Amino acid sequence: MRLVILGGPGAGKGTQAKLLCSDLGIPCLDMGQILRQRIISDTELGQQAKPYVEKGELVPDEIMIQFVRQQLLDPNVGQGWLLDGYPRTAFQAEELDFLLEDLEQKLNWAIYFNVPEMVLKRRSLARSRADDQLGIIERRIELFYQRTVPILEYYELTNRLLDINGEQSPEQIYQEICQRLK
């Protein structure tokens, strides 16, 4: 199973990703977390991404595409994976399909957690990550609506979108995903 998980900051992607990956026996590629690790480890791609991450901006497509390619070439992810935090733009969604074609893989589903803006803001502020400050959160949410929401149409046109009500309890969300993946 190869999945992409989409939703604004605070939509519950991380929680659901852990559950899905555990049940499906596939690795979770949390791009935000991996990027933060690469920045701390001072890798070349990490340094290129650092100024964008620190401001809550999207890392440029060319850096992210290289980064995702590195992750998908890892032998541990050949049998399936869940991508969290990528793609973030319609261009990245298309590039991911091209990359998967090169790797002779195919995306099964894009799972979208549909959560209202005020709920995203409230949930993000309740987390305690260092980069979860109000201004940065508001910028991330604004970018999500500008850049990421157009991806939904891309996946909908190719019949690969699962639109999930993200306001339910985590258990209800998970049950809905499992039912729809069958």
Side-chain angles (χ1 to χ4, degrees), residues 59-100:
V59 175
D61 290 339
E62 52 283 355
I63 297 172
M64 282 308 297
I65 291 162
Q66 276 185 301
F67 193 66
V68 171
R69 175 179 282 279
Q70 277 181 3
Q71 302 307 308
L72 296 182
L73 286 171
D74 184 317
N76 297 324
V77 302
Q79 300 309 307
W81 39 259
L82 182 146
L83 267 178
D84 177 2
Y86 187 90
R88 290 270 174 100
T89 65
F91 178 74
Q92 288 178 356
E94 289 180 74
E95 285 297 311
L96 177 60
D97 280 344
F98 294 137
L99 172 59
L100 292 175

Side-chain angles (χ1 to χ4, degrees), residues 24-167:
L24 296 170
I26 57 176
C28 180
L29 304 174
D30 178 338
M31 292 321 223
Q33 186 180 5
I34 295 168
L35 261 178
R36 286 189 284 276
Q37 288 170 350
R38 296 297 186 278
I39 289 168
I40 291 166
S41 308
D42 210 26
T43 66
E44 185 182 335
L45 277 176
Q47 288 312 300
Q48 289 175 25
K50 185 177 181 175
Y52 302 98
V53 172
E54 286 176 342
K55 291 183 197 134
E57 298 289 329
L58 291 182
V59 175
D61 290 339
E62 52 283 355
I63 297 172
M64 282 308 297
I65 291 162
Q66 276 185 301
F67 193 66
V68 171
R69 175 179 282 279
Q70 277 181 3
Q71 302 307 308
L72 296 182
L73 286 171
D74 184 317
N76 297 324
V77 302
Q79 300 309 307
W81 39 259
L82 182 146
L83 267 178
D84 177 2
Y86 187 90
R88 290 270 174 100
T89 65
F91 178 74
Q92 288 178 356
E94 289 180 74
E95 285 297 311
L96 177 60
D97 280 344
F98 294 137
L99 172 59
L100 292 175
E101 207 173 291
D102 280 354
L103 299 174
E104 296 180 6
Q105 297 181 21
K106 190 173 131 284
L107 179 71
N108 299 94
W109 294 103
I111 303 169
Y112 171 57
F113 298 117
N114 203 333
V115 180
E117 187 173 343
M118 286 310 299
V119 176
L120 294 177
K121 198 179 290 186
R122 188 182 72 234
R123 287 180 183 173
S124 293
L125 286 168
R127 301 187 301 198
S128 52
R129 286 197 335 217
D131 55 343
D132 278 342
Q133 296 152 12
L134 183 60
I136 291 173
I137 288 168
E138 288 174 339
R139 180 67 181 141
R140 280 199 200 116
I141 291 171
E142 179 187 333
L143 283 170
F144 170 72
Y145 283 105
Q146 283 174 5
R147 308 255 179 91
T148 307
V149 168
I151 296 175
L152 305 178
E153 190 178 325
Y154 175 77
Y155 285 127
E156 201 164 41
L157 289 170
T158 55
N159 296 316
R160 295 181 290 172
L161 183 69
L162 295 182
D163 191 330
I164 305 290
N165 172 1
E167 281 194 277

